[in-house]
Amino acid sequence: TKPQDAVKHGLGYLSEDRKQLALALGLDIESNTVMGVFRKFARFGFTREKKIEVAAQKQVKNLSIRTPSTKQLVGNLSGGNQQKVAIGKWLTADSEIIIFDEPTRGIDVGAKSEIYKLMNDLIDQGKSIIMISSELPEILRMSHRIIVMCEGRVTGELSNKDANQESIMAYATMRN
């Protein structure tokens, strides 16, 4: 199975290593926004610049990305705005399920709050989110259902109402 197959089936993955794996920091917001589905923005071997610009502007507006222009290099954006560009890439690809791997690592408290709001907005729009996180407060705040793993195997499943730090840690330290 190839990454293109996942994209075709509506699956997007936001890597915890946004700078190395999720974004091309040396490219602009427009290029990063369409990266997951570039063929959709090309015709007969030529890129459709206006369509790319419109797609990027839509994500900048919808995700409140702070930037002077969609031509801005992603490497010049703050960590929170970089994360939003990465999310915009998967929204442009029409992903129905988005895996958020450590979604707020390396971003400030204000940007964390914006990312949480965005994740809740995506749920309200009918998108599904799988969040991988090592931050217990984040897990407790954002999760409807919590699957806990230890040493590569599932050790517990909790609903949000049954979860607390102690119960999660008990499952997280459950060795063979």
Side-chain angles (χ1 to χ4, degrees), residues 84-152:
K84 290 178 190 179
V85 171
I87 294 167
K89 173 174 69 173
W90 295 115
L91 296 178
T92 300
D94 293 327
S95 297
E96 289 299 317
I97 302 168
I98 304 173
I99 301 170
F100 283 75
D101 191 352
E102 300 290 351
T104 60
R105 179 172 285 162
I107 60 177
D108 66 48
V109 176
K112 278 186 182 191
S113 190
E114 286 184 62
I115 297 297
Y116 295 149
K117 181 185 179 322
L118 174 60
M119 291 169 74
N120 284 323
D121 290 347
L122 292 173
I123 294 295
D124 291 344
Q125 295 168 27
K127 306 283 185 192
S128 296
I129 293 177
I130 298 170
M131 182 179 72
I132 302 166
S133 179
S134 55
E135 293 186 34
L136 285 176
E138 182 169 82
I139 292 168
L140 292 168
R141 176 180 179 179
M142 296 300 297
S143 302
H144 295 103
R145 186 171 62 138
I146 300 164
I147 307 293
V148 185
M149 297 180 74
C150 180
E151 296 179 348

Side-chain angles (χ1 to χ4, degrees), residues 15-33:
S15 171
E16 69 178 301
D17 188 353
R18 142 180 93 246
K19 293 181 189 264
Q20 293 295 316
L21 302 173
L23 297 166
L25 299 179
L27 297 178
D28 59 24
I29 293 170
E30 290 179 7
S31 299
N32 276 274
T33 299

Side-chain angles (χ1 to χ4, degrees), residues 21-94:
L21 302 173
L23 297 166
L25 299 179
L27 297 178
D28 59 24
I29 293 170
E30 290 179 7
S31 299
N32 276 274
T33 299
V34 301
M35 193 176 293
V37 287
F38 188 75
R39 286 190 174 136
K40 190 167 125 177
F41 294 90
R43 188 169 190 164
F44 306 117
F46 296 98
T47 58
R48 298 159 84 182
E49 298 295 327
K50 189 61 183 166
K51 282 187 84 165
I52 291 172
E53 182 182 351
V54 168
Q57 286 173 347
K58 176 182 177 186
Q59 297 307 332
V60 165
K61 181 177 183 248
N62 290 345
L63 302 175
S64 301
I65 299 170
R66 288 180 203 86
T67 180
S69 157
T70 57
K71 304 284 187 202
Q72 176 75 296
L73 295 181
V74 172
N76 293 339
L77 300 174
S78 69
N81 284 304
Q82 287 177 357
Q83 185 73 319
K84 290 178 190 179
V85 171
I87 294 167
K89 173 174 69 173
W90 295 115
L91 296 178
T92 300
D94 293 327

